[in-house]
Coordinates of all heavy atoms in Angstrom, one line a residue:
R1 N 117.6 206.6 77.1 CA 118.1 207.8 76.5 C 118.1 208.9 77.6 O 118.7 210.1 77.3 CB 117.5 208.2 75.2 CG 116.1 208.5 75.3 CD 115.4 208.8 74.0 NE 114.0 208.9 74.1 CZ 113.2 209.1 73.0 NH1 113.8 209.2 71.7 NH2 111.9 209.2 73.2
T2 N 117.3 208.9 78.5 CA 117.1 210.0 79.5 C 118.3 210.2 80.4 O 118.7 211.1 80.9 CB 115.9 209.8 80.5 OG1 115.9 208.5 81.0 CG2 114.6 210.0 79.7
N3 N 119.1 209.0 80.7 CA 120.3 209.0 81.5 C 121.6 208.6 80.8 O 122.6 208.7 81.4 CB 120.0 208.0 82.6 CG 118.9 208.4 83.6 OD1 118.8 209.5 84.0 ND2 118.0 207.6 83.9
Y4 N 121.4 208.1 79.6 CA 122.7 207.5 78.9 C 122.7 208.2 77.5 O 121.7 208.5 77.0 CB 122.8 206.1 78.8 CG 122.8 205.4 80.1 CD1 121.7 205.0 80.9 CD2 124.1 205.1 80.7 CE1 121.8 204.4 82.2 CE2 124.2 204.5 82.0 CZ 123.1 204.2 82.6 OH 123.3 203.6 83.9
R5 N 123.8 208.0 76.8 CA 123.8 208.4 75.4 C 123.8 207.0 74.6 O 124.7 206.2 74.8 CB 125.2 209.0 75.1 CG 125.3 209.5 73.6 CD 126.6 210.2 73.3 NE 126.7 210.5 71.9 CZ 127.9 211.0 71.4 NH1 128.9 211.1 72.3 NH2 128.0 211.2 70.1
V6 N 122.7 206.8 74.0 CA 122.5 205.6 73.4 C 122.7 205.7 71.8 O 122.2 206.5 71.1 CB 121.0 205.1 73.5 CG1 120.8 203.8 72.9 CG2 120.6 205.0 74.9
I7 N 123.7 204.9 71.4 CA 124.2 205.0 70.0 C 124.0 203.6 69.3 O 124.4 202.6 69.9 CB 125.6 205.4 69.8 CG1 125.9 206.9 70.6 CG2 126.1 205.5 68.4 CD1 127.2 207.4 70.6
I8 N 123.4 203.6 68.1 CA 123.4 202.4 67.4 C 123.9 202.6 65.9 O 123.2 203.3 65.1 CB 121.9 201.9 67.2 CG1 121.1 202.0 68.5 CG2 121.7 200.5 66.7 CD1 119.6 201.6 68.4
P9 N 125.1 202.0 65.6 CA 125.6 202.2 64.3 C 124.8 201.0 63.4 O 124.7 200.0 63.9 CB 127.0 201.8 64.4 CG 127.2 201.0 65.8 CD 126.1 201.4 66.5
M10 N 124.5 201.4 62.3 CA 124.1 200.2 61.2 C 125.2 199.6 60.7 O 126.1 200.1 60.1 CB 123.3 201.0 60.1 CG 122.4 200.1 59.2 SD 121.0 199.5 60.2 CE 120.6 198.0 59.2
L11 N 125.3 198.3 60.9 CA 126.4 197.4 60.6 C 126.3 197.1 59.1 O 125.2 196.9 58.5 CB 126.4 196.1 61.4 CG 126.5 196.2 62.8 CD1 126.4 194.9 63.4 CD2 127.8 196.9 63.2
P12 N 127.4 197.3 58.3 CA 127.4 197.3 56.9 C 127.4 195.8 56.4 O 128.3 195.5 55.5 CB 128.7 198.1 56.5 CG 129.6 197.9 57.6 CD 128.7 197.6 58.9
I13 N 126.4 195.1 56.7 CA 126.4 193.7 56.3 C 126.4 193.5 54.9 O 127.0 192.5 54.3 CB 125.3 192.9 57.2 CG1 125.6 192.8 58.6 CG2 125.1 191.5 56.6 CD1 124.5 192.6 59.5
Y14 N 125.6 194.4 54.3 CA 125.4 194.2 52.8 C 126.3 195.1 52.0 O 126.3 195.1 50.7 CB 123.9 194.6 52.4 CG 123.0 193.7 53.4 CD1 122.0 194.5 54.1 CD2 122.9 192.4 53.4 CE1 121.2 193.8 54.9 CE2 122.1 191.7 54.3 CZ 121.2 192.4 55.0 OH 120.3 191.7 55.8
E15 N 127.1 195.8 52.7 CA 127.9 196.8 51.9 C 129.5 196.3 51.7 O 130.3 196.9 51.0 CB 128.0 198.2 52.5 CG 126.5 198.9 52.4 CD 125.5 198.5 53.3 OE1 125.9 198.1 54.5 OE2 124.3 198.4 52.9
L16 N 129.9 195.4 52.7 CA 131.2 195.0 52.6 C 131.6 194.3 51.3 O 130.7 193.5 50.7 CB 131.5 194.2 53.9 CG 131.5 194.7 55.2 CD1 131.6 193.6 56.3 CD2 132.6 195.7 55.4
P17 N 132.8 194.4 50.9 CA 133.2 193.4 49.7 C 133.0 192.1 50.2 O 133.3 191.7 51.2 CB 134.7 193.8 49.4 CG 134.9 195.2 50.1 CD 133.8 195.2 51.2
L18 N 132.7 191.2 49.2 CA 132.3 189.8 49.6 C 133.4 189.1 50.2 O 133.4 188.4 51.2 CB 131.8 189.0 48.3 CG 131.3 187.6 48.5 CD1 130.1 187.8 49.4 CD2 130.7 187.1 47.2
L19 N 134.7 189.3 49.7 CA 135.9 188.8 50.2 C 136.2 189.0 51.6 O 136.8 188.2 52.3 CB 137.0 189.0 49.3 CG 137.1 188.3 47.9 CD1 138.3 188.8 47.1 CD2 137.2 186.8 48.1
T20 N 135.8 190.3 52.0 CA 136.1 190.7 53.5 C 134.8 190.7 54.3 O 134.8 191.1 55.3 CB 136.7 192.1 53.4 OG1 135.7 192.9 52.8 CG2 137.9 192.2 52.7
T21 N 133.7 190.0 53.8 CA 132.5 189.9 54.6 C 132.7 188.9 55.7 O 132.8 187.7 55.5 CB 131.4 189.6 53.8 OG1 130.9 190.5 52.9 CG2 130.0 189.3 54.6
G22 N 132.6 189.4 56.9 CA 132.9 188.5 58.0 C 133.0 189.3 59.4 O 132.8 190.4 59.4
I23 N 132.9 188.5 60.4 CA 132.9 189.0 61.8 C 134.0 190.0 62.0 O 133.8 191.0 62.7 CB 133.0 187.9 62.9 CG1 131.8 186.9 62.8 CG2 133.0 188.4 64.3 CD1 130.5 187.4 63.1
K24 N 135.3 189.6 61.7 CA 136.4 190.6 61.9 C 136.2 191.9 61.3 O 136.5 193.0 61.8 CB 137.6 189.9 61.6 CG 138.1 188.8 62.4 CD 139.6 188.2 62.0 CE 140.0 187.2 63.1 NZ 141.3 186.7 62.6
S25 N 135.7 192.0 60.1 CA 135.5 193.2 59.4 C 134.4 194.1 59.9 O 134.6 195.2 60.1 CB 134.9 192.9 57.9 OG 136.0 192.2 57.1
L26 N 133.3 193.4 60.6 CA 132.4 194.1 61.3 C 132.9 194.7 62.6 O 132.7 196.0 62.9 CB 131.2 193.3 61.5 CG 130.2 192.9 60.4 CD1 129.0 192.2 60.9 CD2 129.8 194.3 59.7
A27 N 133.8 194.0 63.4 CA 134.5 194.5 64.5 C 135.4 195.7 64.1 O 135.4 196.7 64.9 CB 135.2 193.4 65.1
K28 N 136.1 195.6 63.1 CA 137.0 196.7 62.7 C 136.1 197.9 62.3 O 136.5 199.1 62.6 CB 137.8 196.3 61.3 CG 138.9 195.3 61.8 CD 139.7 194.9 60.4 CE 140.7 193.9 60.7 NZ 141.3 193.3 59.5
F29 N 135.0 197.7 61.7 CA 134.1 198.9 61.3 C 133.6 199.5 62.5 O 133.6 200.8 62.7 CB 132.9 198.3 60.6 CG 131.8 199.3 60.3 CD1 131.8 200.2 59.1 CD2 130.7 199.4 61.2 CE1 130.8 201.2 59.0 CE2 129.8 200.4 60.9 CZ 129.8 201.2 59.9
V30 N 133.2 198.7 63.6 CA 132.8 199.3 64.8 C 133.8 200.1 65.6 O 133.6 201.2 66.2 CB 132.1 198.3 65.8 CG1 131.7 198.9 67.2 CG2 130.9 197.7 65.1
H31 N 135.0 199.5 65.5 CA 136.1 200.2 66.1 C 136.5 201.5 65.4 O 136.7 202.4 66.1 CB 137.4 199.3 66.0 CG 138.7 200.0 66.6 ND1 138.8 200.4 67.8 CD2 139.7 200.4 65.8 CE1 140.1 201.0 68.0 NE2 140.6 200.9 66.8
K32 N 136.4 201.4 64.1 CA 136.5 202.8 63.3 C 135.4 203.8 63.8 O 135.8 205.0 63.8 CB 136.4 202.4 61.8 CG 136.9 203.5 60.9 CD 136.8 202.9 59.6 CE 136.9 204.1 58.5 NZ 136.8 203.6 57.1
F33 N 134.2 203.3 63.9 CA 133.1 204.1 64.2 C 133.4 204.8 65.6 O 133.2 206.0 65.9 CB 131.8 203.4 64.4 CG 130.6 204.3 64.8 CD1 130.1 205.2 63.9 CD2 130.1 204.1 65.9 CE1 129.0 205.9 64.3 CE2 129.0 204.7 66.4 CZ 128.3 205.7 65.6
I34 N 133.8 204.0 66.6 CA 134.2 204.5 67.9 C 135.2 205.6 67.9 O 135.1 206.6 68.7 CB 134.7 203.3 68.8 CG1 133.4 202.4 69.2 CG2 135.2 203.8 70.2 CD1 133.8 201.0 69.9
K35 N 136.3 205.3 67.1 CA 137.4 206.3 67.0 C 136.8 207.7 66.3 O 137.1 208.7 66.7 CB 138.6 205.8 66.2 CG 139.2 204.6 66.9 CD 139.7 205.1 68.4 CE 140.0 203.9 69.3 NZ 140.1 204.3 70.7
Y36 N 136.0 207.4 65.3 CA 135.4 208.6 64.6 C 134.6 209.4 65.4 O 134.7 210.7 65.4 CB 134.5 208.0 63.3 CG 133.9 209.1 62.5 CD1 134.6 210.0 61.8 CD2 132.5 209.3 62.7 CE1 133.8 211.0 61.0 CE2 131.8 210.3 62.2 CZ 132.5 211.2 61.2 OH 131.9 212.2 60.6
K37 N 133.8 208.9 66.3 CA 132.9 209.6 67.2 C 133.6 210.1 68.5 O 133.1 210.5 69.4 CB 131.7 208.8 67.5 CG 130.8 208.5 66.3 CD 130.2 209.6 65.7 CE 129.3 210.5 66.4 NZ 128.8 211.8 65.8
K38 N 134.9 209.6 68.6 CA 135.7 210.0 69.8 C 135.1 209.5 71.0 O 135.0 210.2 72.1 CB 135.9 211.5 69.8 CG 136.8 212.0 68.7 CD 136.9 213.6 68.9 CE 138.1 214.0 67.9 NZ 137.6 213.9 66.5
L39 N 134.6 208.2 71.0 CA 133.8 207.5 72.2 C 135.0 206.9 73.0 O 136.0 206.4 72.4 CB 132.9 206.6 71.7 CG 131.8 207.0 70.7 CD1 130.9 206.0 70.3 CD2 131.0 208.3 71.3
E40 N 134.8 206.9 74.3 CA 135.8 206.2 75.2 C 135.0 205.3 76.2 O 133.9 205.8 76.7 CB 136.5 207.2 75.9 CG 137.5 208.0 75.1 CD 138.3 209.0 76.0 OE1 138.1 209.1 77.1 OE2 139.1 209.6 75.4
Q41 N 135.6 204.2 76.4 CA 135.0 203.3 77.6 C 133.5 203.1 77.4 O 132.7 203.4 78.2 CB 135.3 203.8 78.7 CG 136.8 203.6 79.2 CD 137.0 202.3 79.6 OE1 136.8 201.9 80.7 NE2 137.8 201.5 78.8
V42 N 133.0 202.5 76.3 CA 131.6 202.3 76.0 C 131.1 201.1 76.5 O 132.0 200.1 76.8 CB 131.3 202.3 74.4 CG1 131.8 203.5 73.8 CG2 131.8 201.0 73.8
T43 N 129.9 201.0 77.0 CA 129.2 199.7 77.3 C 128.5 199.2 76.0 O 127.6 199.9 75.5 CB 128.2 199.8 78.5 OG1 128.9 200.3 79.5 CG2 127.4 198.7 78.8

């Protein structure tokens, strides 16, 4: 954190509707978070 911006989103593993609980839904969630925070070119 002294040289980088370190961000950890809490993945909504237990909050997703059961029918959409899966890897793709989590990836969509992270993409949405990246756009919401206006992040670019993350590692």
Side-chain angles (χ1 to χ4, degrees):
R1 64 181 172 181
T2 52
N3 294 312
Y4 296 91
R5 184 180 175 191
V6 184
I7 304 178
I8 317 179
M10 191 72 200
L11 300 178
I13 292 166
Y14 310 123
E15 288 80 36
L16 292 170
L18 189 56
L19 285 175
T20 60
T21 294
I23 298 291
K24 286 185 178 179
S25 295
L26 289 183
K28 286 177 184 174
F29 172 87
V30 175
H31 174 66
K32 189 177 170 187
F33 176 76
I34 287 171
K35 295 306 168 196
Y36 174 76
K37 295 301 293 178
K38 297 181 171 62
L39 307 176
E40 293 181 355
Q41 288 283 285
V42 304
T43 296

